[in-house]
Amino acid sequence: MDVLALVPAVVGIALSPLVVASVVFLLGHRGGYGSAAACASGWILSVGAALVVTVLLGERLPSPDRGDTDVRAVVELVAGVLLLGLAVWQWVVRRLPDGRPRSAAWADVVGSIGPRRAFVVGVAWFLTNPKALVLSLTAGLVVGDADPSVAAMVGTGTVYVVLAGSTALLPIAVAAALGPRAERPLEATRAFIARWGSLALVAVLTVLGVVQLVAGLAGLL
Protein backbone atom coordinates (compact mmCIF):
# COMPACT_ATOMS: atom_id res chain seq x y z
CA MET A 1 0.00 0.00 0.00
CA ASP A 2 1.26 3.48 -0.88
CA VAL A 3 1.07 4.92 2.64
CA LEU A 4 2.53 8.25 1.51
CA ALA A 5 -0.54 8.73 -0.69
CA LEU A 6 -2.61 8.97 2.50
CA VAL A 7 -0.60 11.89 3.88
CA PRO A 8 -2.54 14.68 2.08
CA ALA A 9 -5.84 13.31 3.39
CA VAL A 10 -4.51 12.91 6.93
CA VAL A 11 -3.07 16.43 6.99
CA GLY A 12 -6.05 18.03 5.30
CA ILE A 13 -8.65 16.46 7.59
CA ALA A 14 -6.54 17.03 10.70
CA LEU A 15 -6.20 20.71 9.83
CA SER A 16 -9.92 21.46 10.00
CA PRO A 17 -10.17 24.64 12.09
CA LEU A 18 -13.94 24.54 12.52
CA VAL A 19 -14.07 21.31 14.53
CA VAL A 20 -10.93 22.23 16.49
CA ALA A 21 -12.46 25.60 17.32
CA SER A 22 -15.68 23.92 18.40
CA VAL A 23 -13.86 21.60 20.79
CA VAL A 24 -11.82 24.50 22.20
CA PHE A 25 -14.88 26.68 22.75
CA LEU A 26 -16.83 23.80 24.30
CA LEU A 27 -14.04 23.25 26.83
CA GLY A 28 -14.57 26.77 28.09
CA HIS A 29 -18.35 26.55 28.58
CA ARG A 30 -20.83 24.71 30.74
CA GLY A 31 -20.57 21.36 28.91
CA GLY A 32 -16.85 21.19 29.57
CA TYR A 33 -15.09 17.92 28.85
CA GLY A 34 -18.30 16.00 28.13
CA SER A 35 -19.46 18.25 25.31
CA ALA A 36 -15.96 18.65 23.89
CA ALA A 37 -15.39 14.88 23.87
CA ALA A 38 -18.80 14.30 22.28
CA CYS A 39 -18.04 16.76 19.49
CA ALA A 40 -14.63 15.19 18.85
CA SER A 41 -16.21 11.71 18.87
CA GLY A 42 -18.81 12.72 16.29
CA TRP A 43 -16.08 14.05 14.04
CA ILE A 44 -13.75 11.05 14.41
CA LEU A 45 -16.53 8.48 13.94
CA SER A 46 -17.55 10.33 10.77
CA VAL A 47 -13.95 10.16 9.50
CA GLY A 48 -13.93 6.41 10.13
CA ALA A 49 -17.33 5.81 8.55
CA ALA A 50 -16.38 7.77 5.45
CA LEU A 51 -13.20 5.72 5.10
CA VAL A 52 -15.13 2.44 5.29
CA VAL A 53 -17.62 3.59 2.66
CA THR A 54 -14.95 4.80 0.25
CA VAL A 55 -12.79 1.68 0.75
CA LEU A 56 -15.76 -0.47 -0.24
CA LEU A 57 -16.25 1.80 -3.24
CA GLY A 58 -12.58 1.59 -4.18
CA GLU A 59 -12.60 -2.20 -4.15
CA ARG A 60 -15.30 -2.22 -6.80
CA LEU A 61 -13.67 0.19 -9.22
CA PRO A 62 -11.89 -1.05 -12.38
CA SER A 63 -8.20 -1.78 -12.01
CA PRO A 64 -5.63 -0.03 -14.24
CA ASP A 65 -3.66 -3.31 -14.25
CA ARG A 66 -6.28 -4.69 -16.63
CA GLY A 67 -5.91 -1.75 -19.01
CA ASP A 68 -8.81 0.23 -17.56
CA THR A 69 -8.62 3.94 -16.79
CA ASP A 70 -6.87 4.69 -13.51
CA VAL A 71 -9.95 5.88 -11.61
CA ARG A 72 -7.90 6.81 -8.58
CA ALA A 73 -5.74 9.15 -10.67
CA VAL A 74 -8.86 10.75 -12.16
CA VAL A 75 -10.33 11.22 -8.68
CA GLU A 76 -7.08 12.78 -7.45
CA LEU A 77 -7.06 15.14 -10.42
CA VAL A 78 -10.68 16.17 -9.82
CA ALA A 79 -9.99 16.47 -6.08
CA GLY A 80 -7.11 18.83 -6.81
CA VAL A 81 -9.33 21.07 -8.91
CA LEU A 82 -12.06 21.02 -6.25
CA LEU A 83 -9.63 21.83 -3.43
CA LEU A 84 -8.17 24.77 -5.33
CA GLY A 85 -11.70 25.95 -6.06
CA LEU A 86 -12.51 25.71 -2.35
CA ALA A 87 -9.40 27.76 -1.57
CA VAL A 88 -10.59 30.52 -3.89
CA TRP A 89 -14.11 30.34 -2.43
CA GLN A 90 -12.76 30.46 1.12
CA TRP A 91 -10.64 33.50 0.26
CA VAL A 92 -13.34 35.44 -1.59
CA VAL A 93 -16.57 34.48 0.17
CA ARG A 94 -15.84 33.13 3.63
CA ARG A 95 -13.59 35.93 4.93
CA LEU A 96 -14.45 39.17 6.62
CA PRO A 97 -12.38 42.23 5.61
CA ASP A 98 -10.06 41.74 8.60
CA GLY A 99 -9.37 38.09 7.71
CA ARG A 100 -11.70 36.46 10.25
CA PRO A 101 -14.00 33.65 9.05
CA ARG A 102 -17.64 34.62 8.63
CA SER A 103 -18.58 31.60 10.73
CA ALA A 104 -17.02 33.17 13.87
CA ALA A 105 -20.49 34.14 15.11
CA TRP A 106 -21.36 30.50 15.90
CA ALA A 107 -18.84 30.38 18.76
CA ASP A 108 -21.24 31.41 21.55
CA VAL A 109 -23.99 29.12 20.24
CA VAL A 110 -21.70 26.09 20.03
CA GLY A 111 -20.26 26.80 23.46
CA SER A 112 -23.64 26.56 25.15
CA ILE A 113 -24.77 23.13 23.94
CA GLY A 114 -24.69 19.81 25.80
CA PRO A 115 -23.01 16.50 24.88
CA ARG A 116 -25.82 15.10 22.69
CA ARG A 117 -26.00 18.15 20.49
CA ALA A 118 -22.23 18.47 20.53
CA PHE A 119 -21.96 14.96 19.04
CA VAL A 120 -24.38 15.96 16.29
CA VAL A 121 -22.33 19.10 15.68
CA GLY A 122 -19.19 16.98 15.24
CA VAL A 123 -20.95 14.81 12.66
CA ALA A 124 -22.47 17.84 10.95
CA TRP A 125 -19.10 19.59 10.65
CA PHE A 126 -17.80 16.56 8.76
CA LEU A 127 -20.82 16.08 6.50
CA THR A 128 -20.90 19.77 5.55
CA ASN A 129 -17.12 20.03 5.05
CA PRO A 130 -16.37 19.66 1.32
CA LYS A 131 -12.64 19.39 1.96
CA ALA A 132 -13.07 16.49 4.39
CA LEU A 133 -15.46 14.68 2.03
CA VAL A 134 -13.14 15.05 -0.97
CA LEU A 135 -10.07 13.93 0.98
CA SER A 136 -11.97 11.00 2.51
CA LEU A 137 -12.79 9.82 -1.00
CA THR A 138 -9.15 9.95 -2.09
CA ALA A 139 -8.02 8.19 1.11
CA GLY A 140 -10.59 5.44 0.70
CA LEU A 141 -9.56 4.85 -2.89
CA VAL A 142 -5.91 4.57 -1.83
CA VAL A 143 -6.76 1.90 0.75
CA GLY A 144 -9.31 0.09 -1.40
CA ASP A 145 -7.19 0.17 -4.56
CA ALA A 146 -4.17 -1.36 -2.82
CA ASP A 147 -6.03 -4.62 -2.05
CA PRO A 148 -3.93 -5.54 1.03
CA SER A 149 -4.73 -8.19 3.59
CA VAL A 150 -7.65 -7.49 5.91
CA ALA A 151 -5.28 -7.03 8.86
CA ALA A 152 -3.16 -4.51 6.97
CA MET A 153 -6.24 -2.65 5.81
CA VAL A 154 -7.66 -2.45 9.34
CA GLY A 155 -4.31 -1.39 10.77
CA THR A 156 -3.73 1.30 8.17
CA GLY A 157 -7.30 2.53 8.45
CA THR A 158 -7.04 2.76 12.23
CA VAL A 159 -3.82 4.76 12.06
CA TYR A 160 -5.35 7.02 9.42
CA VAL A 161 -8.46 7.75 11.51
CA VAL A 162 -6.43 8.35 14.69
CA LEU A 163 -4.04 10.76 12.97
CA ALA A 164 -6.74 12.56 11.00
CA GLY A 165 -8.85 13.00 14.14
CA SER A 166 -5.97 13.75 16.51
CA THR A 167 -6.32 17.51 16.35
CA ALA A 168 -9.89 17.28 17.63
CA LEU A 169 -8.64 15.35 20.67
CA LEU A 170 -5.53 17.45 21.28
CA PRO A 171 -7.28 20.37 23.06
CA ILE A 172 -9.02 17.88 25.40
CA ALA A 173 -5.70 16.18 26.19
CA VAL A 174 -4.07 19.55 26.88
CA ALA A 175 -6.92 20.61 29.15
CA ALA A 176 -6.82 17.31 31.06
CA ALA A 177 -3.03 17.41 31.46
CA LEU A 178 -2.71 21.05 32.51
CA GLY A 179 -5.95 21.56 34.41
CA PRO A 180 -6.54 25.26 35.23
CA ARG A 181 -3.23 26.13 33.55
CA ALA A 182 -4.72 25.07 30.21
CA GLU A 183 -6.89 28.18 29.99
CA ARG A 184 -4.06 30.35 28.67
CA PRO A 185 -3.07 28.09 25.73
CA LEU A 186 -6.73 27.39 24.96
CA GLU A 187 -7.49 31.11 24.93
CA ALA A 188 -4.51 31.66 22.64
CA THR A 189 -5.87 28.95 20.35
CA ARG A 190 -9.29 30.60 20.28
CA ALA A 191 -7.72 33.93 19.39
CA PHE A 192 -5.53 32.39 16.68
CA ILE A 193 -8.43 30.58 15.03
CA ALA A 194 -10.62 33.66 15.16
CA ARG A 195 -7.93 35.83 13.58
CA TRP A 196 -5.99 33.52 11.28
CA GLY A 197 -8.10 30.38 10.85
CA SER A 198 -9.52 31.44 7.50
CA LEU A 199 -6.13 32.36 6.05
CA ALA A 200 -4.58 29.12 7.32
CA LEU A 201 -7.36 27.11 5.69
CA VAL A 202 -6.76 28.85 2.35
CA ALA A 203 -3.08 27.92 2.55
CA VAL A 204 -3.86 24.29 3.43
CA LEU A 205 -6.41 23.96 0.62
CA THR A 206 -4.00 25.44 -1.91
CA VAL A 207 -1.13 23.12 -0.97
CA LEU A 208 -3.36 20.04 -0.89
CA GLY A 209 -4.95 21.01 -4.20
CA VAL A 210 -1.55 21.25 -5.90
CA VAL A 211 -0.43 17.93 -4.38
CA GLN A 212 -3.57 16.13 -5.58
CA LEU A 213 -3.26 17.67 -9.05
CA VAL A 214 0.33 16.50 -9.37
CA ALA A 215 -0.54 13.01 -8.08
CA GLY A 216 -3.46 12.74 -10.49
CA LEU A 217 -1.44 13.88 -13.50
CA ALA A 218 1.38 11.51 -12.59
CA GLY A 219 -1.07 8.61 -12.43
CA LEU A 220 -2.52 9.39 -15.85
CA LEU A 221 0.79 9.96 -17.66
Side-chain angles (χ1 to χ4, degrees):
M1 182 185 300
D2 186 5
V3 177
L4 290 178
L6 290 173
V7 172
V10 169
V11 173
I13 293 175
L15 297 180
S16 296
L18 200 56
V19 66
V20 175
S22 298
V23 171
V24 170
F25 280 107
L26 284 166
L27 283 170
H29 289 74
R30 69 179 181 88
Y33 288 102
S35 294
C39 182
S41 298
W43 173 265
I44 293 171
L45 288 175
S46 298
V47 172
L51 180 66
V52 171
V53 171
T54 52
V55 164
L56 294 176
L57 173 64
E59 290 181 333
R60 287 163 175 75
L61 292 176
S63 172
D65 296 334
R66 297 194 300 265
D68 298 318
T69 302
D70 190 341
V71 178
R72 175 179 149 190
V74 173
V75 170
E76 288 174 334
L77 191 63
V78 173
V81 174
L82 290 176
L83 290 171
L84 291 175
L86 286 172
V88 174
W89 178 74
Q90 178 74 21
W91 177 260
V92 174
V93 178
R94 299 285 291 175
R95 293 174 64 248
L96 294 172
D98 62 359
R100 291 182 296 115
R102 292 183 182 275
S103 55
W106 52 258
D108 291 335
V109 176
V110 169
S112 65
I113 62 178
R116 290 184 181 180
R117 291 184 179 180
F119 180 85
V120 174
V121 166
V123 175
W125 281 162
F126 183 86
L127 295 177
T128 58
N129 187 327
K131 178 192 66 171
L133 295 174
V134 170
L135 292 174
S136 293
L137 177 59
T138 61
L141 292 181
V142 169
V143 176
D145 190 44
D147 194 25
S149 66
V150 174
M153 183 181 296
V154 171
T156 302
T158 300
V159 172
Y160 162 82
V161 172
V162 170
L163 292 178
S166 61
T167 49
L169 294 174
L170 183 60
I172 301 173
V174 170
L178 298 181
R181 293 177 297 168
E183 183 54 36
R184 180 173 295 181
L186 290 176
E187 183 59 37
T189 303
R190 295 185 192 104
F192 177 85
I193 292 174
R195 183 66 181 87
W196 300 107
S198 183
L199 295 176
L201 183 55
V202 170
V204 170
L205 288 170
T206 301
V207 172
L208 292 176
V210 172
V211 170
Q212 294 288 5
L213 274 177
V214 171
L217 289 173
L220 292 175
L221 296 178

